[in-house]
Amino acid sequence: MNNSNDPQWKEKFTTFYNDMLNQLADHHRESYGELLSLQQELHTIYLDTTAKHLEQWSQKYGSATPDESNLLDKIEADSVVVEIIDNSTGRVFRRSLPIKYLETDNGLLLTGETMEGNPSQIVFLSETAITKVNDLLGKGPDIPRCGDKS
């Protein structure tokens, strides 16, 4: 955000968010665990709402035409952002990591380096990919693919 209204919008949002958290704290001041849980839930709602609006805006104002956006076969990025909420303190930590991200129908591939600088990959297979692998290994259902009942 770099227009002249930025301070006003930031102040409005900060005031709204502070008021909401103060109200939650007033109603749940005896139970830190419950307040922490509500804060985590509020944070999740904020992230989900923001993601929904950003997706709508990218479809409306993004570079891809509507036909191209429906043909998305993979999602790729050269870095990822990890956001966690610490279990004991409730503090939110956000880190940008130099991890390559590739997501397809078959699953998710994360590529980076170990502490020693060696290449490393983590693969999370989707149910579709696991079914394909099991079928190739002969562990799939014992039915013909072509519908032949012989």
Side-chain angles (χ1 to χ4, degrees), residues 73-76 101-105 107-109:
D73 290 332
K74 64 182 177 179
I75 301 170
E76 288 184 274
Y101 178 98
L102 174 62
E103 181 180 345
T104 67
D105 287 348
L108 177 64
L109 172 67

Side-chain angles (χ1 to χ4, degrees), residues 1-147:
M1 295 165 50
N2 55 10
N3 63 32
S4 61
N5 291 329
D6 287 353
Q8 293 172 346
W9 288 109
K10 289 177 186 177
E11 187 173 329
K12 283 181 182 180
F13 180 77
T14 301
T15 301
F16 169 77
Y17 201 69
N18 280 332
D19 289 347
M20 183 177 291
L21 288 177
N22 286 333
Q23 287 177 23
L24 286 172
D26 287 345
H27 292 289
H28 302 283
R29 66 178 96 193
E30 297 86 29
S31 171
Y32 176 74
E34 189 174 338
L35 180 61
L36 180 59
S37 177
L38 287 168
Q39 184 260 343
Q40 291 171 347
E41 187 175 341
L42 183 62
H43 185 70
T44 300
I45 291 168
Y46 165 76
L47 291 176
D48 290 345
T49 304
T50 301
K52 183 179 88 174
H53 284 282
L54 288 174
E55 185 175 331
Q56 290 172 354
W57 292 337
S58 70
Q59 288 175 358
K60 186 174 181 179
Y61 302 112
S63 59
T65 64
D67 292 334
E68 290 172 347
S69 65
N70 291 333
L71 300 175
L72 189 62
D73 290 332
K74 64 182 177 179
I75 301 170
E76 288 184 274
D78 291 329
S79 66
V80 298
V81 175
V82 176
E83 185 170 277
I84 61 110
I85 300 174
D86 182 66
N87 288 337
S88 59
T89 64
R91 289 182 57 196
V92 176
F93 295 92
R94 184 179 176 95
R95 304 285 188 260
S96 180
L97 305 174
I99 296 173
K100 291 190 181 203
Y101 178 98
L102 174 62
E103 181 180 345
T104 67
D105 287 348
N106 290 324
L108 177 64
L109 172 67
L110 301 175
T111 306
E113 292 182 351
T114 65
M115 296 291 274
E116 295 81 26
N118 298 322
S120 182
Q121 293 183 331
I122 300 174
V123 177
F124 299 93
L125 295 176
S126 66
E127 286 296 321
T128 303
I130 291 172
T131 301
K132 290 177 186 177
V133 169
N134 283 335
D135 195 30
L136 288 171
L137 295 174
K139 297 180 182 177
D142 194 16
I143 55 173
R145 291 181 189 214
C146 301

